[in-house]
Amino acid sequence: MDTGSDFVPTDRQDVGFSHSGPVCITIQHPTATIHIMEARSTGTSNKCSHSTMDTREQLCLPSLGTDFTVLDENTERAVDTHSGDPLLAVSNMVPNSEEPSTAPTTLNPIAGSSRTFSRWDSARLDTGSMAHQRQRLTKEGASAATVKVMTESTLASTRQWRYKGPQAQWILHCSKNSIDPFNPSVVELLNFLAHGIETKQWSSGTVNGYRSAILNLFPDCLSYWNNSTFCDFFRHLSSNEIKHFTNMPVDISPVLDHFRTLGPNAHLKPNQLLPKLCWLLAVCGFMCPSDIQHVDVSHSSVQSSGELELQVVGPKEKRAGRHIIKSVFIHPHEDPLVCPVATYQCYVAQLSTSTLTSVKHPFLDQTLNPLIRHIFDINQAASSDTIGCHIARVSDLLPLPLGLEKAPSGRSLSSSLAIEHGASSDEVQAQGFWAHSATYDSFYRLSCRSVKNLTQITLAS
């Protein structure tokens, strides 16, 4: 090797080209030594050469780093590098240098903000943790106990799990547009949401979800809600959608005929018994797939009256902001081939022959013994998606009206059938465990037709 002095970059030496022209580095190199390696002599010997290395000037070359300032050759001003590309920083190739080199960081001023913000700070933020919220609470003067309560609760973990996707997209958008993700203007936030509506066809529900996730990052959310432009944006957005109340006829006779065709429960295979049980629990118990997923079989039983009591640990419904453990009661049917209680007893009898493993609730500090297991692995609990597939597999037998491509959910079928056959709204609301009757009317009711002949009742003399 040569002395290598020709390869040492001096001040403003070009190292490449960018989209705006040649790129050069403005640095000052310390005077040091460089070690030059000599080539070993050719031969068949396996011994290494003991030649010593010459010591001359130390060689400083650019290496990969986080930030560094470059100069445009034409404009003689600092320009930003690509936020997604690896950046260069000057460092010594020889370790343990006496004067470690440091690279300056370029900060971008934020329009309308009282401080400067680095785009790299937002790009490297870990939105899957509570670090930002802990830091914000600490700056506000919160004690360690207060921070623990507000960041280690089930509400905080659930909210962070749901918000991490939208928050990551928001922070990526801010890093590309030089926006402070923790203190943007109202217009900057609305522009991001409007961009999603225009380019990704976000519905109003999706926009509201992104709004909640992003506002959770801000230290002061009330100032946004007090802004008239911010509130008017969502009022105009909701006014563009139309809520359509259908009058779908419900006929479950094809499903009941299918269950009778299968025969007694004891003769059914696991891939026949499990979908049947999931569908009957969803329809007769007004249960969604996540409710069935969290049924604790250890605390569920058939009472002396023949009524089945299922204990659901941590369903979606809450009371006063608290997670609950609710009990679902299901009455037996006179026909054993379509009876949910008889199907449950047959399935539990098959589970009793195996040693079942308990699982931890995803959001609560509590374990449960799930009722529904995988068909081919009885020691593995089935997910809500798997249970939903079991229910949909049976519901595909239902006749659908024109224009409807997907069968309604089990809760929609059961609640609508109960109202149609004379059950009161209070009874349906209690069985569905809905806090408000508007929840059933807005999301689950399939038909608005009255059960009785109101014309005859109204015009009666």
Side-chain angles (χ1 to χ4, degrees):
M1 295 179 61
D2 200 347
T3 60
S5 59
D6 295 336
F7 298 95
V8 179
T10 58
D11 292 344
R12 293 181 49 80
Q13 180 170 348
D14 293 345
V15 295
F17 291 85
S18 69
H19 63 283
S20 60
V23 177
C24 58
I25 306 177
T26 57
I27 57 174
Q28 293 181 354
H29 304 288
T31 303
T33 59
I34 181 171
H35 299 277
I36 304 298
M37 299 181 64
E38 294 183 354
R40 58 174 294 183
S41 59
T42 59
T44 59
S45 174
N46 293 329
K47 296 182 179 180
C48 297
S49 174
H50 297 284
S51 303
T52 59
M53 299 177 64
D54 294 336
T55 58
R56 302 182 188 179
E57 290 189 345
Q58 183 177 358
L59 177 62
C60 293
L61 290 178
S63 61
L64 291 178
T66 55
D67 291 319
F68 103 119
T69 306
V70 297
L71 294 179
D72 192 306
E73 189 178 32
N74 297 325
T75 59
E76 294 292 329
R77 62 180 176 86
V79 297
D80 292 331
T81 56
H82 297 286
S83 60
D85 299 335
L87 300 181
L88 295 176
V90 178
S91 61
N92 296 328
M93 294 184 64
V94 181
N96 300 327
S97 175
E98 297 180 357
E99 297 181 358
S101 59
T102 58
T105 302
T106 303
L107 298 179
N108 298 315
I110 303 301
S113 177
S114 59
R115 65 183 179 89
T116 58
F117 173 74
S118 173
R119 291 183 296 172
W120 284 92
D121 291 340
S122 64
R124 290 179 295 186
L125 177 67
D126 182 12
T127 58
S129 66
M130 295 289 182
H132 169 67
Q133 187 173 357
R134 291 191 184 98
Q135 183 181 10
R136 186 180 69 189
L137 292 173
T138 303
K139 289 182 178 180
E140 293 176 356
S143 64
T146 303
V147 173
K148 182 178 180 181
V149 170
M150 299 187 66
T151 59
E152 297 183 10
S153 64
T154 57
L155 175 62
S157 59
T158 303
R159 182 177 293 173
Q160 188 68 16
W161 175 73
R162 293 177 178 175
Y163 287 174
K164 61 181 180 181
Q167 287 177 355
Q169 293 192 36
W170 162 249
I171 292 175
L172 179 61
H173 168 80
C174 293
S175 66
K176 294 180 178 179
N177 296 276
S178 299
I179 300 174
D180 185 351
F182 307 119
N183 189 24
S185 65
V186 171
V187 175
E188 289 172 339
L189 175 57
L190 296 182
N191 289 342
F192 169 75
L193 298 176
H195 179 74
I197 297 173
E198 183 177 359
T199 60
K200 301 178 182 179
Q201 288 75 46
W202 288 349
S203 64
S204 60
T206 303
V207 175
N208 292 335
Y210 271 78
R211 177 195 62 193
S212 301
I214 296 172
L215 289 179
N216 190 56
L217 293 171
F218 304 159
D220 183 17
C221 300
L222 187 61
S223 60
Y224 291 85
W225 287 112
N226 292 334
N227 186 280
S228 59
T229 304
F230 185 81
C231 297
D232 288 342
F233 176 85
F234 294 100
R235 278 196 289 265
H236 288 293
L237 180 63
S238 60
S239 66
N240 294 331
E241 294 189 353
I242 300 176
K243 177 64 178 178
H244 181 58
F245 290 92
T246 61
N247 289 303
M248 175 183 173
V250 180
D251 182 16
I252 61 172
S253 58
V255 175
L256 301 181
D257 294 340
H258 171 70
F259 289 159
R260 295 186 177 98
T261 304
L262 293 177
N265 296 321
H267 299 163
L268 298 182
K269 298 179 180 179
N271 60 349
Q272 296 175 326
L273 181 62
L274 194 54
K276 177 181 179 180
L277 175 63
C278 292
W279 192 88
L280 288 174
L281 293 181
V283 172
C284 299
F286 293 22
M287 303 174 70
C288 61
S290 63
D291 289 342
I292 302 176
Q293 177 193 11
H294 295 138
V295 171
D296 191 353
V297 68
S298 300
H299 296 85
S300 302
S301 61
V302 178
Q303 299 178 352
S304 58
S305 60
E307 192 177 11
L308 173 62
E309 180 183 1
L310 300 176
Q311 187 176 91
V312 183
V313 180
K316 289 183 178 180
E317 296 88 356
K318 297 180 180 180
R319 291 297 182 267
R322 301 177 181 178
H323 288 281
I324 60 174
I325 297 177
K326 71 175 183 179
S327 295
V328 177
F329 296 92
I330 300 177
H331 292 273
H333 193 273
E334 58 183 9
D335 187 354
L337 297 181
V338 296
C339 177
V341 179
T343 307
Y344 169 84
Q345 290 176 322
C346 182
Y347 179 76
V348 171
Q350 297 179 3
L351 294 180
S352 61
T353 59
S354 303
T355 303
L356 302 180
T357 56
S358 300
V359 298
K360 187 180 182 301
H361 195 278
F363 305 128
L364 303 180
D365 188 17
Q366 187 169 348
T367 59
L368 67 149
N369 198 349
L371 170 65
I372 305 301
R373 306 285 176 145
H374 274 283
I375 295 178
F376 301 106
D377 188 1
I378 202 172
N379 288 322
Q380 185 177 358
S383 64
S384 59
D385 293 336
T386 302
I387 296 174
C389 291
H390 290 323
I391 299 174
R393 176 183 171 187
V394 179
S395 296
D396 288 340
L397 301 174
L398 297 174
L400 300 179
L402 295 177
L404 189 62
E405 299 179 355
K406 183 180 179 181
S409 64
R411 301 186 91 183
S412 299
L413 287 173
S414 56
S415 56
S416 299
L417 284 171
I419 291 291
E420 186 175 341
H421 291 91
S424 64
S425 299
D426 293 337
E427 291 174 333
V428 171
Q429 181 179 346
Q431 182 70 2
F433 213 80
W434 292 305
H436 306 283
S437 59
T439 304
Y440 163 67
D441 292 332
S442 301
F443 301 104
Y444 296 101
R445 190 162 192 168
L446 299 178
S447 177
C448 298
R449 294 179 298 178
S450 59
V451 179
K452 298 180 180 180
N453 188 343
L454 297 182
T455 302
Q456 187 69 26
I457 297 175
T458 303
L459 300 181
S461 57

Short mmCIF file of all heavy atoms in Angstrom, two decimals, residues 251-258 260 398:
data_model
loop_
_atom_site.label_atom_id
_atom_site.label_comp_id
_atom_site.label_asym_id
_atom_site.label_seq_id
_atom_site.Cartn_x
_atom_site.Cartn_y
_atom_site.Cartn_z
N ASP A 251 -84.49 -15.46 8.49
CA ASP A 251 -84.97 -16.83 8.41
C ASP A 251 -83.80 -17.76 8.69
O ASP A 251 -82.89 -17.90 7.87
CB ASP A 251 -85.56 -17.11 7.02
CG ASP A 251 -86.13 -18.52 6.92
OD1 ASP A 251 -86.32 -19.15 7.97
OD2 ASP A 251 -86.33 -18.99 5.78
N ILE A 252 -83.81 -18.39 9.86
CA ILE A 252 -82.71 -19.28 10.24
C ILE A 252 -83.08 -20.75 10.08
O ILE A 252 -82.34 -21.63 10.54
CB ILE A 252 -82.29 -19.02 11.70
CG1 ILE A 252 -83.44 -19.29 12.65
CG2 ILE A 252 -81.78 -17.59 11.85
CD1 ILE A 252 -83.03 -19.24 14.13
N SER A 253 -84.20 -21.04 9.43
CA SER A 253 -84.61 -22.44 9.26
C SER A 253 -83.58 -23.27 8.49
O SER A 253 -83.40 -24.45 8.82
CB SER A 253 -85.98 -22.50 8.59
OG SER A 253 -85.96 -21.83 7.33
N PRO A 254 -82.85 -22.71 7.47
CA PRO A 254 -81.83 -23.55 6.82
C PRO A 254 -80.73 -24.01 7.76
O PRO A 254 -80.22 -25.13 7.65
CB PRO A 254 -81.28 -22.63 5.72
CG PRO A 254 -82.38 -21.67 5.43
CD PRO A 254 -83.04 -21.44 6.75
N VAL A 255 -80.36 -23.17 8.71
CA VAL A 255 -79.33 -23.57 9.67
C VAL A 255 -79.85 -24.63 10.62
O VAL A 255 -79.15 -25.63 10.92
CB VAL A 255 -78.84 -22.33 10.45
CG1 VAL A 255 -77.86 -22.74 11.54
CG2 VAL A 255 -78.18 -21.33 9.52
N LEU A 256 -81.07 -24.47 11.11
CA LEU A 256 -81.64 -25.47 12.01
C LEU A 256 -81.82 -26.80 11.31
O LEU A 256 -81.58 -27.87 11.92
CB LEU A 256 -82.97 -24.96 12.56
CG LEU A 256 -82.92 -23.64 13.35
CD1 LEU A 256 -84.31 -23.27 13.87
CD2 LEU A 256 -81.92 -23.73 14.50
N ASP A 257 -82.24 -26.79 10.06
CA ASP A 257 -82.36 -28.04 9.30
C ASP A 257 -80.99 -28.70 9.12
O ASP A 257 -80.88 -29.94 9.14
CB ASP A 257 -82.99 -27.76 7.94
CG ASP A 257 -84.44 -27.30 8.06
OD1 ASP A 257 -85.05 -27.56 9.11
OD2 ASP A 257 -84.94 -26.65 7.12
N HIS A 258 -79.96 -27.91 8.94
CA HIS A 258 -78.61 -28.45 8.80
C HIS A 258 -78.15 -29.13 10.09
O HIS A 258 -77.54 -30.22 10.05
CB HIS A 258 -77.64 -27.33 8.42
CG HIS A 258 -76.20 -27.73 8.46
ND1 HIS A 258 -75.64 -28.60 7.54
CD2 HIS A 258 -75.18 -27.38 9.32
CE1 HIS A 258 -74.36 -28.77 7.82
NE2 HIS A 258 -74.06 -28.04 8.89
N ARG A 260 -80.07 -30.51 12.32
CA ARG A 260 -80.82 -31.76 12.47
C ARG A 260 -80.30 -32.84 11.52
O ARG A 260 -80.32 -34.04 11.85
CB ARG A 260 -82.30 -31.50 12.23
CG ARG A 260 -82.96 -30.59 13.27
CD ARG A 260 -84.46 -30.48 13.07
NE ARG A 260 -85.09 -29.66 14.10
CZ ARG A 260 -85.40 -28.38 13.96
NH1 ARG A 260 -85.15 -27.77 12.80
NH2 ARG A 260 -85.97 -27.71 14.95
N LEU A 398 -77.52 -19.19 5.48
CA LEU A 398 -78.70 -18.34 5.52
C LEU A 398 -78.97 -17.72 4.16
O LEU A 398 -78.04 -17.31 3.46
CB LEU A 398 -78.52 -17.23 6.57
CG LEU A 398 -78.36 -17.67 8.02
CD1 LEU A 398 -78.04 -16.47 8.90
CD2 LEU A 398 -79.62 -18.38 8.51
#
